Amino acid sequence: MQNRFLLLSERNKQEILSTLPEEKAISKLADYFQNFSDSTRIKILTCLSMMNMCVNDLSNVLNINQTTISHQLKQLKDQNIVAYKRDGKILVYYLTDQSVNDMMMYALSSF
């Protein structure tokens, strides 16, 4: 059976294929967006979109134990979504990029 497109021309197909990211980039995108599929990480990102916070404050606000918060922050840090700065003995976490905050606020406004 011959592959025939209903709406797509061969030229359109080539344009689409030429703009698709490479598999490595697609994998990185999937990993990045996976960070937004966990409810605990969404809660953490929402808090951090409002203000910089330490693990203890996040734990108290979200009523989630510190170990869970720390684990989720590590995943977000590994993806360069959050970072921290040291304030004495306290690590204060913040969003690394305004676009994450913008995306969170846009998504919340859609509901």
Side-chain angles (χ1 to χ4, degrees):
M1 181 174 177
Q2 187 178 16
N3 288 336
R4 298 186 110 169
F5 299 113
L6 295 178
L7 301 174
L8 189 67
S9 70
E10 189 61 35
R11 180 177 174 214
N12 295 134
K13 175 185 171 185
Q14 292 308 316
E15 286 177 22
I16 291 168
L17 290 174
S18 70
T19 59
L20 277 176
E22 295 180 13
E23 283 301 316
K24 187 174 180 179
I26 289 172
S27 179
K28 284 185 176 186
L29 279 170
D31 289 344
Y32 178 81
F33 283 110
Q34 187 176 9
N35 288 296
F36 303 96
S37 67
D38 179 87
S39 62
T40 301
R41 288 191 295 266
I42 294 281
K43 290 174 186 177
I44 291 169
L45 291 170
T46 302
C47 290
L48 295 178
S49 71
M50 292 185 237
M51 69 178 293
N52 301 345
M53 300 177 80
C54 66
V55 172
N56 186 58
D57 289 343
L58 285 164
S59 176
N60 284 324
V61 167
L62 300 175
N63 198 29
I64 299 171
N65 70 55
Q66 289 185 12
T67 303
T68 300
I69 297 288
S70 294
H71 175 73
Q72 298 301 336
L73 283 168
K74 181 186 179 333
Q75 288 189 279
L76 292 168
K77 190 170 89 47
D78 289 347
Q79 289 288 326
N80 297 316
I81 295 172
V82 301
Y84 64 86
K85 57 187 171 193
R86 186 172 290 280
D87 185 8
K89 292 184 178 185
I90 299 171
L91 301 179
V92 179
Y93 288 86
Y94 61 92
L95 297 177
T96 59
D97 191 338
Q98 180 64 31
S99 64
V100 172
N101 182 42
D102 294 344
M103 184 173 55
M104 292 293 298
M105 292 301 115
Y106 176 76
L108 287 172
S109 71
S110 299
F111 297 108

